[in-house]
């Protein structure tokens, strides 16, 4: 079959790397892609939310399946667009329809879903500019730290955690009244702070059946010891050592089953990945967020551990036969370390040549914000490349990632040297 991946990050390079290993994948396109996908597939310079452009491409190249990497096209209704178009409705789209994508597109929608289906999560209330005073009153009933979440998509920046009540009130006002996050903070979810260690759980669903993929832990802060600004993710480890069989069983019973059943009860059609952000409080899982896609850089450690043919899995999702698939996982640990442009997640320069790739041994370099310019691989984004390794333990794997990173260079390259430090 002919497949199109939408997106341009390390996640999409990993999807491409995995899909081209399948004998079922005859031709692969990636829009817009990066230098990594250019090596194994054909890049098409198209924006992931250019629905009309994507339609023309799908018709011209006779694409059978579209795999949606990032959330934006899903929240904007990409899957519905295909289903509602007679010329496109035969195409399989991996990613939920617009209504279900609100699980990521609206924090309030996600909280209502969690409560409606009795899935463990933090207590909350949501507010708009008209209920600011009630918001202040609710904050006064909580203990610090205070968690404020912009309701809408805010490029991963919409969550504030504040230690001081006055500061929390000022930020709530700034979000609701002064549109700190634009339209995304027209509503704000104020939530109880949960104290524990986080992990990410990945579920595949065809809307009826589900399969659970390996867990992963990502490292979101720019600085070592989990300090400094939030990023898209600086590295990841899979499996998560503290996710014991009994804890995973709790996640399946208390979170995964009611989530998939809840989608069906609510009539929310869902064919794709569910990324569940979980915090372990004591011995119990609580959901902090849903994403309607795979994580990045979690994909770079989860998919390499998957032994199955990913095209077969996607076909089973499209045909609602996911119950016939047996997920087969590599027992080894996988780690990835993200190389970023100096200055990221704030301003950074682009166009730096990346050298040393030919010297890498026994690692998989997944390109992210990197492109080919005049025959050279150069930086193009904040997160540039994820170096993935396998090991019998995550310590062994991470050592391999770090040894190989020594061979790589670009001007102002930065990475965290402590991935896995807290495990
Ligand atoms: P979210 O975008 O909802 O994942 O939130 C971003 C980050 O904020 C999470 O990865 C957590 O580290 C943190 N966070 C979100 N909600 C809570 C909460 N209720 N308690 C503690 N930390 C939280
Ligand atoms: N690594 C976190 C995310 O993909 O949202």
């Amino acid at each position: 079959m002919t497949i199109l991946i939408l997106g341009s990050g390390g996640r999409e390079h990993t999807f491409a790397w995995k899909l081209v290993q399948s004998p079922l994948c005859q031709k692969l396109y990636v829009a817009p892609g990066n230098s990594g996908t250019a090596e194994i597939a054909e890049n098409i310079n198209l924006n992931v939310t250019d629905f009309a452009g994507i339609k023309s491409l799908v018709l011209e190249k006779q694409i059978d399946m579209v795999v949606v990497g990032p959330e934006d096209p899903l929240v904007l209704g990409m899957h519905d667009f295909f289903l509602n178009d007679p010329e496109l409705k035969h195409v399989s789209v991996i990613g939920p329809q617009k209504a279900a994508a609100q699980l990521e597109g609206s924090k309030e929608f996600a909280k209502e879903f969690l409560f409606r289906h009795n899935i463990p999560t933090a207590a909350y209330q949501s507010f708009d500019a008209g209920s600011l005073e009630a918001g202040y009153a609710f904050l006064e009933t909580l203990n610090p730290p205070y968690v404020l979440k912009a309701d809408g998509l805010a490029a991963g920046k919409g969550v504030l955690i504040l230690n001081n009540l006055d500061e929390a009130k000022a930020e709530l006002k700034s979000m609701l009244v002064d549109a700190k996050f634009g339209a995304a903070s027209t509503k704000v979810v104020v939530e109880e702070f949960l104290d524990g260690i986080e992990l990410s759980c990945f579920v595949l669903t065809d809307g009826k059946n589900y399969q659970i993929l390996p867990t992963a832990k990502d490292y979101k802060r720019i600085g070592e010891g989990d300090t400094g600004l939030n990023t898209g993710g600086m590295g990841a480890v899979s499996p998560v050592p503290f996710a014991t069989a009994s804890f995973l069983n709790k996640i399946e019973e208390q979170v995964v089953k009611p989530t998939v059943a809840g989608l069906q009860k609510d009539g929310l059609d869902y064919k794709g990945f569910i990324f569940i952000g979980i915090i372990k409080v004591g011995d119990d899982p609580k959901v902090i967020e849903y994403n309607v896609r795979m994580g990045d850089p979690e994909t770079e450690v989860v998919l390499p551990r998957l032994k199955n043919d990913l095209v077969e899995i996607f076909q089973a999702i499209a045909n609602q036969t996911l119950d016939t698939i047996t997920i087969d996982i590599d027992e080894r640990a996988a780690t990835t370390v993200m190389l970023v442009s100096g200055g990221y997640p704030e301003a950074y320069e682009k166009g730096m040549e990346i050298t040393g790739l030919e010297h890498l041994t026994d690692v998989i370099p997944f390109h992210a914000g990197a492109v080919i310019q005049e025959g050279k691989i150069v930086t193009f984004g904040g997160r540039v490349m994820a170096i993935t390794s396998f090991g019998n333990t995550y310590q062994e794997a991470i050592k391999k990632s770090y040894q190989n990173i020594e061979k790589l260079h670009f001007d102002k390259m930065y990475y965290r040297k402590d991935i896995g430090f807290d495990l």
Side-chain angles (χ1 to χ4, degrees):
M1 47 177 5
T2 301
I3 304 175
L4 167 66
I5 299 173
L6 295 178
S8 61
R11 168 181 52 209
E12 287 75 18
H13 184 196
T14 313
F15 274 124
W17 170 86
K18 185 72 183 153
L19 289 172
V20 295
Q21 294 175 41
S22 166
L24 297 167
C25 178
Q26 267 108 33
K27 176 79 193 169
L28 181 65
Y29 295 95
V30 187
N34 60 29
S35 46
T37 60
E39 285 170 4
I40 52 176
E42 186 175 335
N43 284 352
I44 304 280
N45 193 12
L46 254 187
N47 193 296
V48 295
T49 56
D50 177 359
F51 286 19
I54 291 164
K55 174 175 175 176
S56 304
L57 177 69
V58 167
L59 295 179
E60 183 198 327
K61 306 289 189 190
Q62 300 187 324
I63 286 164
D64 305 297
M65 175 181 282
V66 178
V67 180
V68 185
E71 63 278 14
D72 296 38
L74 297 168
V75 173
L76 291 171
M78 171 78 75
H79 196 153
D80 313 64
F81 172 77
F82 273 72
L83 289 172
N84 294 331
D85 188 316
E87 287 181 295
L88 295 177
K89 69 177 196 212
H90 66 282
V91 177
S92 305
V93 178
I94 304 302
Q97 292 172 49
K98 185 174 184 170
Q102 293 306 306
L103 284 178
E104 178 165 0
S106 163
K107 301 273 186 202
E108 184 185 44
F109 180 92
K111 293 301 285 192
E112 286 172 352
F113 179 91
L114 287 161
F115 273 83
R116 185 162 59 247
H117 300 295
N118 282 314
I119 301 167
T121 187
Y124 82 106
Q125 283 187 25
S126 61
F127 303 96
D128 59 22
S131 55
L132 181 63
E133 290 297 328
Y136 291 161
F138 182 60
L139 280 169
E140 283 166 14
T141 68
L142 299 174
N143 295 319
Y146 304 93
V147 183
L148 308 182
K149 298 185 173 183
D151 177 59
L153 291 182
K157 299 194 174 79
V159 176
L160 300 179
I161 298 184
L162 305 150
N163 287 316
N164 168 296
L165 181 61
D166 289 334
E167 221 183 325
K169 287 182 177 174
E171 287 291 356
L172 181 63
K173 179 162 183 260
S174 155
M175 288 167 94
L176 291 175
V177 180
D178 310 324
K180 177 168 181 143
F181 297 108
S185 63
T186 308
K187 274 192 220 165
V188 172
V189 167
V190 177
E191 161 171 311
E192 165 200 14
F193 180 82
L194 300 174
D195 197 8
I197 188 159
E198 280 179 57
L199 78 161
S200 306
C201 173
F202 301 96
V203 179
L204 288 160
T205 184
D206 59 12
K208 246 177 27 197
N209 312 288
Y210 69 85
Q211 296 284 353
I212 299 180
L213 293 173
T215 55
K217 183 172 195 318
D218 87 334
Y219 291 81
K220 287 202 175 93
R221 302 295 196 93
I222 188 73
E224 279 155 22
D226 285 340
T227 54
L229 293 173
N230 251 322
T231 71
M234 296 294 293
V237 174
S238 177
V240 179
F242 63 82
T244 57
S246 80
F247 187 62
L248 290 176
N249 184 53
K250 279 187 187 172
I251 292 178
E252 180 163 10
E253 294 302 319
Q254 297 174 21
V255 178
V256 176
K257 282 186 182 169
T259 296
V260 175
L263 289 169
Q264 276 179 275
K265 261 185 225 157
D266 294 351
L268 296 169
D269 291 318
Y270 205 121
K271 288 185 174 177
F273 292 92
I274 316 175
F275 164 168
I276 312 177
I278 287 177
I279 195 153
K280 183 174 182 245
V281 181
D283 264 331
D284 292 311
K286 295 207 183 208
V287 174
I288 28 178
E289 64 167 344
Y290 286 112
N291 294 307
V292 297
R293 52 173 174 84
M294 276 301 284
D296 191 354
E298 293 93 327
T299 306
E300 289 91 306
V301 289
V302 171
L303 284 192
R305 296 187 59 221
L306 179 70
K307 291 187 180 168
N308 300 67
D309 180 326
L310 189 57
V311 179
E312 249 172 45
I313 290 184
F314 285 163
Q315 282 178 325
I317 289 178
N319 301 331
Q320 287 203 315
T321 54
L322 198 54
D323 53 328
T324 64
I325 299 275
T326 305
I327 297 288
D328 189 9
I329 299 299
D330 191 324
E331 288 298 315
R332 291 175 300 166
T335 60
T336 201
V337 178
M338 191 63 83
L339 308 181
V340 308
S341 301
Y344 172 80
E346 296 182 291
Y348 56 84
E349 290 168 60
K350 297 181 186 180
M352 311 296 182
E353 186 179 358
I354 304 163
T355 57
L357 285 162
E358 68 280 14
H359 302 304
L360 299 179
T361 46
D362 204 18
V363 295
I364 319 168
F366 290 119
H367 298 209
V371 293
I372 298 176
Q373 262 172 21
E374 293 164 14
K376 293 176 178 161
I377 298 178
V378 302
T379 66
F380 190 67
R383 294 195 296 166
V384 172
M385 198 167 282
I387 307 300
T388 294
S389 310
F390 279 109
N392 290 319
T393 60
Y394 76 86
Q395 291 95 333
E396 202 180 297
I398 200 78
K399 201 168 147 197
K400 237 185 259 176
S401 289
Y402 284 128
Q403 279 168 347
N404 276 277
I405 288 169
E406 303 269 308
K407 303 172 192 167
L408 294 174
H409 179 265
F410 56 87
D411 201 21
K412 304 206 176 87
M413 177 173 110
Y414 169 77
Y415 58 96
R416 271 182 65 169
K417 298 181 182 64
D418 69 341
I419 300 305
F421 79 99
D422 55 341
L423 302 174

